[in-house]
Amino acid sequence: MPQLKELLDATKFLNEGKRALITKAYVFAEKAHRGQKRYSGEAYFNHLVETAKILAELGMARRTISAGLLHDVLENTEITPEELESEFGKEVLFLVEGVTKLGRIRYSGKERHIESLRKFFVAMSQDIRVLIIKLADRLHNMRTLEYVPKEKQKRIAQETMKIYVPLAYRLGLRTLKRELEDLAFRHINPEKYHELAAGIRRHRRKHNEQLEKFRKSLLKMLAKHSIRNAKTDTRLKSIYSVYTKIVMRQKDLGKIYDISAVRVHVETLEDCYRVLGIIHGSWRPLPGRIKDYIAFPKPNGYQSLHTTVFTGDGMIIEIQIRTHLMHNQAEYGLASHIAYKERGLGIKDPYYSWFNQFFPAPSDKKKEEEILKQHPHVPLWLRNIINLQSFVTIQTDPLSHLKSDFFQHRMFIFDPKGDVVDLPVGATPLDFAYELDPNIGNRLFGAKVNGKFVHIDTPLKNGDIVEIQTKNSAHPTDKWLKYAKTSFARKEINQYLESVKKVVIRRQKK
Ligand code: MN
């Protein structure tokens, strides 16, 4: 089983005992999916190994990786939840069920429901690991999208761009986000993708030597100033981010200075600023291009110093300076936090201490519990993000407090095709119909909730599937105003009733 060896090699950070669960899941999934094929003709099982490998590369622990191997058994095989639980325990079952539920959601292309869909993903993933597995699953599906029937490709690519990419970004999973984004872009706008990819390749061929020369003299300069344990590498900008820069700044490829950048990783925060000083002392910086994302991190937590300098031999180059920890955080984001927590490395782990700076000091423990008590419905992992980011965002964004209220006051309702709408708690099928489309609301005749007929003013529950029935002869009445809970539905009903009154008055005048 060469694939198993490859997977286990990617999980070397786990001890032998912990890897046993992964081996067991591997064997179990292989058997369960035997005979099934993917569009590409390869064994379906390959998809599961690849998904698990992505999770291993993100540093996830054994249960998450095992759930990655098992994520399609409930949907695509005869295996029951009971069997899965007795073999792998409650936690793995919980993760697999979570991923299966998320799999039923479709992006139908309705622009106004996108934000609902994103929120739904977050709310339904009671555990952030579910979301990470789903993202790994999607990444492998995107890597193999060319084998999927042409007519499906665009929808999947668009769904990836609109739903999964922003989620990966918000979780700080940068490497994953970049790859998903480029793969989606390639299918959404193939001409532009290939044009830019070729342009970037040309750029790299042209500048590689200069870039290497610069990187080496930079390393020498750092050694001269005795900066310890400094590492450098070069990174190429992703195709999609070059594209957005061209579109947003209306520049051409030749005017984008950070297509390739040199990165400097150092030990301490102080070293970052020292390195910046050393660089500016040796190469002339471009004015207005110095950015301090260490003192002012990006909303997703990204920290780094950026500057752009003239190399002296005709090149302009961006340099990014950060600590090793900031770098790992930038590449793997919240995943690194979750992974390390699950692996139980505790306080000794460098990542952990990096995150510690964002948590309230122990004396604030009481305050923290108070906040959590006020928001019992917020998924635990999301509370962690809120905690984590409170340090960074609260001063700049006082509304961030309010975001957590969302889960107490809103619920998610589906139409049978998987379209999702978020409504206030207490909303009715009538509200749902108007939210879908005012024309549907105005012709509302009846509603089925989870397959059963109900009255149109029945309060809905989170996760209900609502099928709306319309009739051309149906129309709003005064009573509907009492049934409606959203102001949007009320406004539309009022508008209709007003227009009818006007018609009646006009008729009476005649
Ligand atoms: Mn899958």
Side-chain angles (χ1 to χ4, degrees):
M1 287 189 276
Q3 276 184 305
L4 177 60
K5 193 184 166 297
E6 230 176 89
L7 175 60
L8 289 178
D9 280 347
T11 61
K12 276 214 178 96
F13 51 84
L14 298 170
N15 69 34
E16 201 75 15
K18 288 187 170 164
R19 285 151 81 186
L21 187 77
I22 298 171
T23 305
K24 186 178 168 186
Y26 179 98
V27 173
F28 188 92
E30 196 277 322
K31 202 173 146 208
H33 289 280
R34 200 171 288 167
Q36 292 176 2
K37 293 253 184 295
R38 303 250 304 162
Y39 281 120
S40 58
E42 60 171 356
Y44 193 88
F45 180 61
N46 280 355
H47 165 62
L48 305 161
V49 178
E50 291 303 320
T51 303
K53 250 200 267 170
I54 293 166
L55 292 166
E57 279 154 16
L58 283 172
M60 302 315 281
R62 58 178 171 159
R63 291 199 189 83
T64 311
I65 296 171
S66 302
L69 282 163
L70 298 164
H71 80 264
D72 280 326
V73 292
L74 293 183
E75 188 76 20
N76 296 347
T77 77
E78 302 294 304
I79 307 292
T80 64
E82 291 72 28
E83 275 172 86
L84 198 58
E85 185 179 344
S86 77
E87 290 290 327
F88 295 97
K90 264 203 169 64
E91 206 173 324
V92 170
L93 171 67
F94 167 77
L95 294 174
V96 173
E97 281 186 323
V99 176
T100 308
K101 263 187 235 155
L102 286 185
R104 303 214 172 105
I105 317 302
R106 292 272 174 280
Y107 167 63
S108 60
K110 276 190 201 145
E111 202 64 28
R112 63 201 221 96
H113 295 152
I114 288 173
E115 200 49 31
S116 286
L117 204 56
R118 285 183 200 140
K119 286 173 191 156
F120 171 80
F121 262 77
V122 172
M124 284 295 119
S125 316
Q126 280 296 315
D127 191 306
I128 191 181
R129 291 173 297 175
V130 171
L131 215 51
I132 293 174
I133 297 167
K134 192 66 203 163
L135 284 166
D137 168 47
R138 177 53 59 111
L139 179 56
H140 182 248
N141 284 336
M142 287 304 292
R143 282 178 184 167
T144 50
L145 190 62
E146 63 200 285
Y147 300 108
V148 170
K150 271 268 174 311
E151 66 276 11
K152 286 188 176 179
Q153 286 180 2
K154 268 240 157 77
R155 189 197 67 78
I156 295 171
Q158 241 135 13
E159 184 176 83
T160 301
M161 198 60 123
K162 302 259 179 186
I163 309 296
Y164 291 87
V165 167
L167 283 172
Y169 175 77
R170 283 169 204 188
L171 295 176
L173 300 164
R174 201 153 162 270
T175 40
L176 211 130
K177 179 224 165 208
R178 282 164 55 112
E179 192 181 342
L180 274 179
E181 198 168 51
D182 272 0
L183 288 166
F185 180 48
R186 189 174 148 185
H187 286 92
I188 292 170
N189 194 344
E191 300 82 34
K192 204 78 212 162
Y193 174 91
H194 291 294
E195 181 196 318
L196 286 176
I200 291 170
R201 267 199 304 275
R202 270 198 306 278
H203 167 95
R204 186 166 47 182
R205 269 200 304 274
K206 197 170 144 202
H207 295 294
N208 232 359
E209 228 170 275
Q210 273 176 302
L211 203 68
E212 266 309 292
K213 216 177 100 202
F214 177 79
R215 194 181 65 82
K216 279 184 188 141
S217 50
L218 175 62
L219 254 184
K220 260 188 222 147
M221 192 65 80
L222 297 180
K224 206 174 113 193
H225 288 83
S226 43
I227 299 284
R228 284 189 309 130
N229 287 334
K231 278 199 189 115
T232 57
D233 63 15
T234 55
R235 78 109 185 86
L236 212 58
K237 209 172 178 58
S238 77
I239 295 168
Y240 189 72
S241 51
V242 169
Y243 172 70
T244 49
K245 213 158 213 185
I246 287 174
V247 171
M248 276 174 35
R249 309 259 164 91
Q250 303 199 320
K251 280 182 175 170
D252 56 80
L253 205 60
K255 287 270 160 56
I256 295 175
Y257 300 134
D258 62 347
I259 289 177
S260 40
V262 171
R263 292 191 294 207
V264 184
H265 308 155
V266 291
E267 288 278 300
T268 67
L269 196 131
E270 293 75 42
D271 282 348
C272 294
Y273 290 99
R274 279 186 64 204
V275 168
L276 183 71
I278 293 164
I279 290 169
H280 286 179
S282 313
W283 292 277
R284 199 154 69 85
L286 251 76
R289 304 263 322 180
I290 304 153
K291 288 171 203 135
D292 186 347
Y293 294 121
I294 292 181
F296 305 101
K298 289 191 182 179
N300 66 345
Y302 176 82
Q303 288 193 298
S304 201
L305 299 175
H306 290 190
T307 185
T308 304
V309 300
F310 296 96
T311 58
D313 57 356
M315 209 181 158
I316 291 171
I317 201 166
E318 180 174 290
I319 305 161
Q320 304 174 350
I321 310 155
R322 51 191 180 235
T323 65
H324 300 295
L325 298 178
M326 286 171 192
H327 177 64
N328 268 300
Q329 168 64 17
E331 294 299 301
Y332 301 113
L334 208 67
S336 65
H337 173 59
I338 307 298
Y340 279 77
K341 223 174 168 181
E342 196 186 346
R343 275 149 58 185
L345 295 179
I347 206 78
K348 259 190 255 154
D349 192 270
Y351 288 82
Y352 205 81
S353 60
W354 190 87
F355 272 97
N356 265 345
Q357 63 180 311
F358 296 103
F359 287 107
S363 61
D364 281 337
K365 192 90 197 144
K366 253 204 182 140
K367 217 169 106 197
E368 195 187 319
E369 272 164 22
E370 204 50 46
I371 297 169
L372 296 186
K373 233 191 272 160
Q374 284 165 7
H375 304 291
H377 304 292
V378 181
L380 191 66
W381 67 265
L382 192 66
R383 293 187 204 179
N384 288 337
I385 304 187
I386 292 164
N387 273 342
L388 235 114
Q389 294 205 335
S390 59
F391 183 87
V392 180
T393 53
I394 278 178
Q395 291 95 337
T396 52
D397 179 14
L399 290 177
S400 61
H401 287 296
L402 300 177
K403 279 182 205 146
S404 54
D405 273 356
F406 179 86
F407 297 99
Q408 265 174 302
H409 303 309
R410 307 286 289 184
M411 56 184 183
F412 296 97
I413 307 299
F414 299 86
D415 83 350
K417 277 179 258 143
D419 221 353
V420 62
V421 163
D422 67 291
L423 287 169
V425 168
T428 64
L430 183 70
D431 295 305
F432 180 68
Y434 276 101
E435 194 59 39
L436 287 179
D437 188 331
N439 286 322
I440 294 177
N442 282 337
R443 291 184 296 125
L444 173 65
F445 172 68
K448 271 185 181 174
V449 173
N450 304 325
K452 278 192 202 127
F453 278 107
V454 298
H455 195 256
I456 59 169
D457 70 342
T458 311
L460 296 171
K461 288 190 305 301
N462 193 18
D464 277 347
I465 299 170
V466 180
E467 193 180 332
I468 294 295
Q469 296 181 322
T470 57
K471 234 185 190 179
N472 282 334
S473 59
H475 59 82
T477 65
D478 287 327
K479 257 197 230 156
W480 283 22
L481 287 170
K482 268 184 250 154
Y483 299 161
K485 293 290 178 293
T486 62
S487 49
F488 180 72
R490 256 188 239 121
K491 188 193 90 195
E492 290 292 330
I493 295 165
N494 267 322
Q495 229 167 48
Y496 180 91
L497 294 174
E498 291 293 317
S499 69
V500 172
K501 262 184 224 156
K502 274 181 205 151
V503 173
V504 172
I505 291 168
R506 237 180 280 146
R507 275 199 198 132
Q508 283 171 341
K509 277 183 179 164
K510 276 182 193 167

